[in-house]
Amino acid sequence: MGKARYKTLVDAIAAEIKEGRLLPGARLPTHREFAAREGLALVTATRVFAELEAMGLVSGEVGRGTFVRDISLPSGHGIDQQDLVAAGTVDLNFNYPSLPGQTDMLRIALRQLASSGDLEAALRYQPHSGRPIERAAVARHLACRGLTVEGSDVLIVNGAQHGLTVAVMALLKPGDVVAVDALTYPGFKVLADVHRLELVPVPISATGPDLDALASLCVKRRVRAVYAMPTMHNPMGWVLDLQWRERLVEIARKHGLVIIEDAAYAFLADNPPPPLAALAPETTVYVSGLSKSVATGLRFGFASAPRKWMPAMERTVRATTWNAPAVMTAIACGWIDDGTVARLEEEKRQDATLRQAIAAKILSGLSLVRHPSSYFLWLPLEPEVRADLVAMALMRQGISVSTSEPFATSSHSTQAIRLALGSVDIPKLRQALQSVKQVVISHRDL
């Protein structure tokens, strides 16, 4: 078949979807049925479906088939679409938890900074990795998270996302294979795409990523790194046990893997097992920040890495931001030293626990994957329920949720929605969760 016929078929099906002649949720023929109907080779039929999926018009599901997406819901709706959350919308997409009094805390901190004798230093360039006194403060903070390091092993960055970027740019190169969970943090997917890394999904079970599958992958492929969230996994909420962590370290050492440990939500776990960086300090980059524990606007993060990697990471900071912002760094380290960060983390653990209890009660009867002190939960849908249709129905009620699509690293995402619980007040959260339950049940009954 010539290219013109192939394109004609893609355009024809796309037009049917856009004009509403193929409705959201409609199941398309199998690849074989479509090939037989149109007189195509199977490989060509598969190519037609792949292009429709790349256009965001359909989605394929393993074992179920290919379905028409609701195109009024943006492709990738959820974590990648923060700017689409309109004013007045109840936001269950993004977590930016804030406690009463935090605005006054910032006012006080700014006044203290203004009256300090070292204010002029904030107007000058800083050392690329941060000033020694500030790196030492972060090292003391990390000790409370079970990671004992020297200040010289710490790099101050502009938030955890920048920390991940620094690790990737300094230690990996385009084309490198990175093992990731089949459901993972969307920000790392974006980062991998920009830096042209090949992400290979590791299957997950009800209790965590399948390390046997990771070990097999390392035998078959030349895997360079593994990206992991062992403490308060996003979006699944797992806090993986010591045995799992030790096995991952064993695999990493055997195959020479760089471990990138994302601990952005780790503060929410009470007394978790040691970080991977404590178990394998010679091969792990530990990345976190204060966006979730203090405030998302406070672009202050940190990375701890083996000393042999620090020069390359410092050069990357220089190439991307030159240095961390002096004013934000001074405020953040002041709050670390005076106990403010520790207090906020404890208060937010309590707040998240309350919100999870509310969610568990309201959503009782539905399948939930969650941690009792997490700011998010995963709601798998029954096989006949489509996540994009549920998300669009909720959007019409002024409630924004994420589908599984932004988190999926395989070509076929599961039908589920992820609910962020930390960004709205308790009364609005109760109302929104009741609406979520009603919409899910109504779609299930249909």
Side-chain angles (χ1 to χ4, degrees):
M1 184 188 73
K3 184 176 180 181
R5 174 93 195 283
Y6 154 69
K7 286 293 185 185
T8 298
L9 287 170
V10 172
D11 293 343
I13 298 172
E16 288 188 68
I17 294 172
K18 293 174 181 178
E19 293 168 8
R21 287 178 282 139
L22 276 175
L23 298 177
R27 189 197 303 264
L28 298 183
T30 67
H31 294 198
R32 290 188 181 279
E33 290 170 345
F34 182 73
R37 188 184 78 186
E38 299 294 337
L40 307 174
L42 180 59
V43 66
T44 305
T46 299
R47 189 178 173 195
V48 170
F49 279 59
E51 183 149 332
L52 290 168
E53 188 161 1
M55 294 166 67
L57 299 177
V58 303
S59 62
E61 300 171 30
V62 176
R64 295 195 63 219
T66 303
F67 297 83
V68 176
R69 292 187 73 258
D70 188 335
I71 58 175
S72 57
L73 190 72
S75 178
H77 175 75
I79 302 302
D80 294 333
Q81 302 290 332
Q82 185 169 3
D83 58 330
L84 296 177
V85 179
T89 299
V90 178
D91 188 2
L92 302 186
N93 247 338
F94 304 97
N95 272 316
Y96 33 93
S98 181
L99 299 174
Q102 284 196 229
T103 303
D104 289 336
M105 284 171 41
L106 179 59
R107 289 193 181 96
I108 293 170
L110 288 171
R111 291 192 193 104
Q112 291 174 339
L113 185 63
S115 62
S116 71
D118 197 28
L119 187 60
E120 186 179 350
L123 300 177
R124 298 193 293 267
Y125 286 128
Q126 309 294 304
H128 303 306
S129 54
R131 297 188 298 177
I133 190 172
E134 294 161 344
R135 296 167 75 183
V138 172
R140 291 191 293 272
H141 175 66
L142 290 176
C144 299
R145 294 194 181 184
L147 181 58
T148 301
V149 295
E150 301 292 333
S152 55
D153 301 321
V154 170
L155 194 72
I156 293 178
V157 292
N158 289 250
Q161 183 68 29
H162 182 228
L164 294 175
T165 302
V166 168
V168 164
M169 291 180 65
L171 305 177
L172 305 178
K173 60 181 183 297
D176 278 348
V177 175
V178 180
V180 295
D181 302 332
L183 294 167
T184 196
Y185 167 52
F188 192 78
K189 290 175 56 181
V190 173
L191 177 59
D193 182 59
V194 169
H195 293 283
R196 302 192 300 281
L197 303 176
E198 181 184 352
L199 298 185
V200 180
V202 175
I204 59 174
S205 66
T207 56
D210 184 344
L211 293 184
D212 289 335
L214 174 61
S216 297
L217 173 64
C218 291
V219 172
K220 298 173 184 175
R221 300 289 307 274
R222 189 175 180 180
V223 180
R224 177 72 180 104
V226 57
Y227 170 72
M229 294 174 284
T231 307
M232 207 61 76
H233 183 283
N234 180 17
M236 306 305 288
W238 296 315
V239 176
L240 299 165
D241 62 25
L242 180 59
Q243 182 179 5
W244 187 95
R245 296 169 194 238
E246 290 175 336
R247 176 81 196 287
L248 176 61
V249 167
E250 177 187 346
I251 293 170
R253 284 174 171 156
K254 179 177 180 180
H255 297 281
L257 306 183
V258 173
I259 300 174
I260 300 175
E261 180 176 12
D262 186 339
Y265 281 103
F267 75 96
L268 288 170
D270 187 21
N271 195 30
L276 298 171
L279 300 175
E282 79 286 357
T283 193
T284 304
V285 179
Y286 179 97
V287 179
S288 190
L290 301 186
S291 291
K292 305 303 181 184
S293 61
V294 180
T296 54
L298 188 68
R299 301 313 301 160
F300 176 82
F302 37 86
S304 175
R307 205 158 294 179
K308 63 186 177 183
W309 293 343
M310 292 300 286
M313 295 177 68
E314 289 179 358
R315 286 195 299 272
T316 305
V317 171
R318 179 180 180 182
T320 52
T321 60
W322 192 272
N323 60 256
V327 173
M328 288 291 98
T329 299
I331 291 173
C333 290
W335 282 344
I336 287 173
D337 282 337
D338 69 11
T340 297
V341 171
R343 177 176 61 81
L344 286 174
E345 289 184 346
E346 175 58 32
E347 291 178 1
K348 289 189 178 182
R349 277 192 291 272
Q350 296 175 9
D351 181 56
T353 300
L354 171 63
R355 290 166 184 264
Q356 281 287 346
I358 291 170
K361 183 176 181 180
I362 292 175
L363 301 177
S364 62
L366 300 180
S367 175
L368 302 177
V369 179
R370 67 187 191 93
H371 187 280
S373 61
S374 168
Y375 268 124
F376 46 81
L377 62 82
W378 188 255
L379 202 166
L381 302 174
E382 297 190 18
E384 65 273 16
V385 180
R386 307 231 1 112
D388 55 343
L389 301 185
V390 169
M392 197 61 237
L394 288 167
M395 183 64 76
R396 287 193 287 268
Q397 295 187 27
I399 300 169
S400 179
V401 302
S402 174
T403 67
S404 61
E405 186 179 343
F407 299 90
T409 56
S410 62
S411 57
H412 299 286
S413 58
T414 59
Q415 295 303 310
I417 58 175
R418 185 257 205 184
L419 303 177
L421 307 177
S423 303
V424 298
D425 61 38
I426 296 294
K428 284 184 180 179
L429 178 64
R430 291 181 187 275
Q431 294 173 0
L433 291 174
Q434 288 166 353
S435 296
V436 168
K437 184 173 185 178
Q438 291 169 0
V439 168
V440 170
I441 290 176
S442 67
H443 279 70
R444 182 186 64 190
D445 292 344
L446 286 173

